[in-house]
Amino acid sequence: QVTSWLKKIFGDEPIPQYEVNARTIDILYELAEHNEARDRDVTLLIDDMNQMAANYQEEAKYLQDLLAGNLDFSLTSLSNEGTGYLNELVNTALTLEIKDTSLASFIAAMNDLTWDLYETESKNRELEQELTSIKKKLTAALVLEKRLQEDLKKTEEHLEVEKAKAESRSQNLKFLKSKSEDFKIRIKTAEEQLAATGLDQSLTHQSLVNLSE
């Protein structure tokens, strides 16, 4: 869903590279949700305005036919200045989305428009604060990720050194075991040779050690 949203936002332009992890995806998903919600609101507003424009056109046609039929009055009977004022009045009424061109309707519409403007500015400030907070969190997450990558690199280097040390100790241990076995064989051979020559067992090293103890 995030990828589809990014493709829709950037269109034919390539999507900028970014680190894909749970945190960045959550942030982008939240932004996509806000963006799509606002798009839906705008679409509904456009549909509503189109419907209101159609209603105004129908009412204008009805009034025009009424005036032309009963009073023999038409737009062509107005001066250029009068036509300009009338067009301006109609356009203003359409813009303000009011049901008629009375002063009360204009005042009420202006009050509503002022309140809507205040609410929009308030929401924009909230969104800016939220976006600033998200940027700070994203920056902190990127800094933490970089720090973790550096720590991981150091750990891997340390493990390589320890692995080399362990390998060296293993080789030394194998060498010592081999030497120990060799010495045992040589000692046993020497003892057998001495025994064959009639050596008194009380003169062996172990016997002398036992006697000393």
Side-chain angles (χ1 to χ4, degrees), residues 105-130:
S105 295
F106 274 108
I107 293 176
M110 290 300 296
N111 289 336
D112 291 340
L113 191 61
T114 302
W115 177 251
D116 290 341
L117 177 61
Y118 171 77
E119 286 188 338
T120 301
E121 291 177 346
S122 178
K123 289 181 179 179
N124 286 340
R125 286 193 295 269
E126 291 177 359
L127 289 176
E128 288 177 357
Q129 292 175 357
E130 185 176 355

Side-chain angles (χ1 to χ4, degrees), residues 31-180:
L31 290 175
E33 286 290 308
H34 282 296
N35 183 264
E36 292 178 354
R38 296 191 68 179
D39 287 346
R40 288 192 296 269
D41 292 341
V42 171
T43 300
L44 292 175
L45 181 60
I46 291 174
D47 292 340
D48 184 59
M49 293 182 69
N50 288 334
Q51 182 63 41
M52 293 187 66
N55 293 339
Y56 278 124
Q57 289 176 355
E58 291 180 1
E59 186 176 355
K61 186 177 183 305
Y62 169 75
L63 292 176
Q64 184 176 354
D65 294 341
L66 183 64
L67 291 174
N70 296 335
L71 302 178
D72 193 22
F73 177 82
S74 66
L75 292 177
T76 57
S77 64
L78 293 175
S79 64
N80 290 335
E81 186 178 5
T83 301
Y85 286 149
L86 182 59
N87 289 332
E88 189 67 28
L89 186 64
V90 171
N91 290 332
T92 304
L94 286 172
T95 301
L96 295 177
E97 301 177 3
I98 57 179
K99 63 181 180 179
D100 54 43
T101 56
S102 66
L103 181 60
S105 295
F106 274 108
I107 293 176
M110 290 300 296
N111 289 336
D112 291 340
L113 191 61
T114 302
W115 177 251
D116 290 341
L117 177 61
Y118 171 77
E119 286 188 338
T120 301
E121 291 177 346
S122 178
K123 289 181 179 179
N124 286 340
R125 286 193 295 269
E126 291 177 359
L127 289 176
E128 288 177 357
Q129 292 175 357
E130 185 176 355
L131 181 59
T132 301
S133 177
I134 291 175
K135 286 181 178 179
K136 289 181 180 179
K137 292 179 181 178
L138 178 59
T139 302
L142 293 175
V143 171
L144 177 60
E145 180 183 9
K146 183 178 180 181
R147 187 181 305 165
L148 290 175
Q149 288 177 345
E150 293 175 352
D151 292 342
L152 178 61
K153 183 179 179 181
K154 291 179 181 179
T155 302
E156 290 175 346
E157 293 175 351
H158 179 70
L159 287 176
E160 288 296 328
V161 173
E162 292 299 323
K163 183 178 179 181
K165 290 181 180 179
E167 185 67 24
S168 176
R169 294 191 188 100
S170 177
Q171 293 295 333
N172 291 337
L173 181 59
K174 290 180 181 179
F175 174 77
L176 293 176
K177 286 184 177 180
S178 176
K179 278 295 184 180
S180 176

Side-chain angles (χ1 to χ4, degrees), residues 20-28 30 133-134 137-138 141-142:
V20 179
N21 54 51
R23 181 58 185 164
T24 57
I25 292 299
D26 287 342
I27 293 173
L28 290 174
E30 187 175 352
S133 177
I134 291 175
K137 292 179 181 178
L138 178 59
L142 293 175

